[in-house]
Amino acid sequence: MSDQPRASHDTGAPENLVRFMMSGWATPPGTPASSVEGAERFAARRDALSRALPGETLIVPTGHEKIRANDTIYRFRPGTDFYYLTGNLEPDNVLVLVPAADAHSATLYCRPHPGKTDATFFTDRMKGELWVGPRLGLTQTAQRYGIATKPLDALAGDVAGAVAGGRYRVLRGVDPELDAALPPQPARDAELATVLSEMRLIKDEFEVCELRNAIEATHRAFDDVVRALPQAETERTVEGVFNLRARVDGNDTGYSTIAASGPNACTLHWTRNDRSIGENELLLLDAGVEAETLYTADITRTLPVSGSFTPEQRAVYELVLAAQDAAFAQCAPGKDFLDPNRAAMEVLAHGLERLGIISSAQDALRDENQFYKRYSLHNVSHMLGLDVHDCAAARAEAYKLGELRPGMVLTVEPGLYFQLDDLTVPARYRGIGVRVEDDVLITETGVDVLSAAIPRGVEEVEAWVRSARIPA
Ligand code: GLY
Ligand code: MN
Ligand code: MN
């Protein structure tokens, strides 16, 4: 019998079957793999990393498939920094940069592809070709990504010298096996993550193009949801329609779709999406298509399900829009990253005073009070790119306490959330949650709102929703 791991419901394979399975297959054609688009771009990023951290072995894994239960797994999504440096989409692989002369030499350690020369092709339900499809293996990976390859098994031996001398850094938190095998050096390892996050702060032309593609695909998915809204009985339908279009037009969603109707809109990351949608309620949809190249959009629209805002919904919506306009006006090179947030909160605080929700905007805005945050809950911007909350390991001085620079892509997403049980809020506003979220590019002279084509104004949004209600 084969000694490959089996699931509880498998009966295994007798040796005769293994021998039978190992014979009678056509010779694989050995077709060279095509080069990944922009292979030179990935190489240039590796060179930039090499210059930033010279003379040390740098180890960047992509991680493994995550187990859902027992032997079922989630679809694999590469480690962001690994992908940024290689373009490679397969699990398990590890990029190693070894100091050589005045730069580094790069090697991609990956799983060999044994084809049908090894019984695992049908006995290994986690990696076998007949279970999960073929993988590229060493030769094709080298051809496709323009990088030297070695088998994963060689990794430990190849880095042993650097590890013994302490001249290495590992991107932690991605590959638990690698983390366990290589002694941590917390400050040095963290610096590797920081350098990579800060490299990713400025997007190049290709990245901006991919973000535009993801945003256009997200627009199409929002259009589909609006068309489906008259028949959508629950939030599940909204999620399903959005996610279908994401899969069809892009690669996936960049995060779990938030389809929050009525008071659920006041729960910021509502992803249970299991509530019935009421006729005169708002639907807050926060969702983004992730492109094949893994760049993701992050868009929110809050829609009146009936096609008309009630006066209370409209008052809150207009206030959020005004806050967003004030934030857009602060999106320019040389501004503080936090300037759009400050401008939006100023508008929200004064609006909350006008609505009779806080007694004094001036008092609420004091640093030691910040009472408006009871209703606005979050800041208005984060970086966007390969990750929805991109560049998370950047230093504060380069990101949240830094300046906006041309090539940065960020969200602008003010919101107001009046909880159903909040006694400080007049009853007529309770249960209303509104967020409007757009994605912007900082340019040399100002800002380009990449998602400007998606309806946003009160009348525009009402017309958008009503258009789906008019019989064809
Ligand atoms: N969708 C998560 C966020 O807006 O940050
Ligand atoms: Mn966001
Ligand atoms: Mn969002």
Side-chain angles (χ1 to χ4, degrees):
M1 299 280 267
S2 158
D3 60 1
Q4 288 302 312
R6 295 195 304 270
S8 49
H9 53 283
D10 275 346
T11 51
E15 291 299 344
N16 284 345
L17 173 60
V18 173
R19 270 195 296 279
F20 181 50
M21 287 298 288
M22 296 288 292
S23 63
W25 304 102
T27 307
T31 324
S34 60
S35 182
V36 66
E37 196 194 336
E40 68 291 346
R41 198 173 40 244
F42 298 110
R45 292 171 185 166
R46 294 194 292 273
D47 290 345
L49 177 62
S50 166
R51 288 191 297 275
L53 295 171
E56 305 186 35
T57 295
L58 307 174
I59 303 170
V60 181
T62 195
H64 308 289
E65 287 136 325
K66 290 193 175 50
I67 303 284
R68 187 174 194 278
N70 302 320
D71 58 351
T72 54
I73 51 172
Y74 292 101
R75 187 167 34 237
F76 181 69
R77 202 273 189 187
T80 300
D81 289 310
F82 173 89
Y83 175 79
Y84 181 75
L85 294 169
T86 65
N88 179 243
L89 294 162
E90 293 193 315
D92 307 324
N93 298 346
V94 182
L95 173 69
V96 179
L97 301 187
V98 175
D102 57 352
H104 283 79
S105 69
T107 304
L108 203 49
Y109 289 80
C110 47
R111 245 172 228 284
H113 175 47
K116 296 188 177 74
T117 63
D118 174 328
T120 55
F121 84 91
F122 79 102
T123 59
D124 183 347
R125 59 171 51 239
M126 303 306 280
K127 298 289 176 193
E129 176 178 333
L130 287 193
W131 289 95
V132 296
R135 55 180 175 270
L136 288 173
L138 273 62
T139 307
Q140 290 212 318
T141 299
Q143 289 163 347
R144 181 155 174 73
Y145 299 100
I147 188 168
T149 54
K150 281 186 154 191
L152 266 175
D153 287 352
L155 174 62
D158 285 1
V159 300
V163 170
R167 303 284 299 159
Y168 71 107
R169 299 175 192 256
V170 180
L171 186 73
R172 299 283 172 180
V174 178
D175 184 332
E177 292 157 28
L178 205 67
D179 284 348
L182 302 173
Q185 307 176 92
R188 294 163 52 74
D189 292 340
E191 196 182 354
L192 171 59
T194 295
V195 166
L196 285 164
S197 262
E198 293 186 8
M199 283 170 64
R200 289 175 26 228
L201 280 169
I202 305 295
K203 273 65 183 177
D204 65 24
E205 264 176 46
F206 172 83
E207 293 181 287
V208 171
C209 181
E210 286 305 308
L211 283 159
R212 285 186 198 279
N213 289 342
I215 290 163
E216 280 172 20
T218 300
H219 189 171
R220 289 191 289 275
F222 270 79
D223 278 338
D224 283 0
V225 168
V226 165
R227 269 191 292 275
L229 211 45
Q231 286 80 43
E233 287 179 7
T234 76
E235 296 164 344
R236 287 191 189 92
T237 306
V238 172
E239 174 189 335
V241 169
F242 185 91
N243 290 10
L244 173 63
R245 175 57 73 173
R247 283 296 281 160
V248 170
D249 274 7
N251 178 48
D252 212 325
T253 50
Y255 52 94
S256 296
T257 295
I258 297 167
S261 64
N264 284 347
C266 301
T267 303
L268 294 178
H269 290 173
W270 176 260
T271 54
R272 291 182 215 164
N273 301 345
D274 57 0
R275 180 178 178 276
S276 295
I277 302 172
E279 177 55 24
N280 290 311
E281 291 180 345
L282 295 177
L283 172 76
L284 184 156
L285 175 60
D286 181 344
V289 172
E290 182 187 78
E292 272 181 303
T293 49
L294 307 187
Y295 289 87
T296 188
D298 181 11
I299 305 286
T300 307
R301 288 294 181 264
T302 306
L303 310 170
V305 173
S306 67
S308 304
F309 289 99
T310 66
E312 290 77 15
Q313 290 167 349
R314 184 180 175 128
V316 179
Y317 190 90
E318 284 180 334
L319 178 49
V320 171
L321 275 194
Q324 198 191 28
D325 284 335
F328 285 149
Q330 296 299 312
C331 290
K335 292 282 188 187
D336 289 352
F337 173 80
L338 285 174
D339 280 341
N341 189 64
R342 290 186 192 109
M345 294 307 150
E346 182 100 19
V347 170
L348 291 181
H350 285 96
L352 287 165
E353 183 186 300
R354 278 197 307 280
L355 294 179
I357 293 169
I358 56 176
S359 52
S360 161
Q362 209 184 358
D363 189 45
L365 283 163
R366 280 187 226 287
D367 272 353
E368 66 274 26
N369 292 340
Q370 303 185 29
F371 294 148
Y372 56 89
K373 282 191 177 166
R374 179 175 176 125
Y375 315 103
S376 65
L377 296 181
H378 54 82
N379 287 352
V380 303
S381 295
H382 56 79
M383 296 297 172
L384 183 70
L386 287 169
D387 288 338
V388 63
H389 294 167
D390 210 33
C391 311
R395 289 165 303 151
E397 58 265 39
Y399 185 171
K400 76 174 170 192
L401 302 179
E403 285 186 357
L404 295 175
R405 289 186 282 147
M408 287 181 167
V409 174
L410 49 142
T411 64
V412 179
E413 50 173 312
L416 281 173
Y417 312 93
F418 301 123
Q419 311 297 329
L420 271 179
D421 56 350
D422 189 340
L423 302 180
T424 69
V425 173
R428 64 185 181 283
Y429 294 119
R430 290 182 204 158
I432 294 178
V434 172
R435 176 161 67 257
V436 181
E437 176 172 25
D438 284 275
D439 303 336
V440 308
L441 166 70
I442 304 300
T443 65
E444 294 292 336
T445 53
V447 66
D448 183 352
V449 181
L450 302 175
S451 47
I454 304 176
R456 186 181 83 97
V458 167
E459 283 78 21
E460 268 182 302
V461 164
E462 287 184 338
W464 194 25
V465 175
R466 278 186 205 150
S467 68
R469 297 189 156 259
I470 298 165

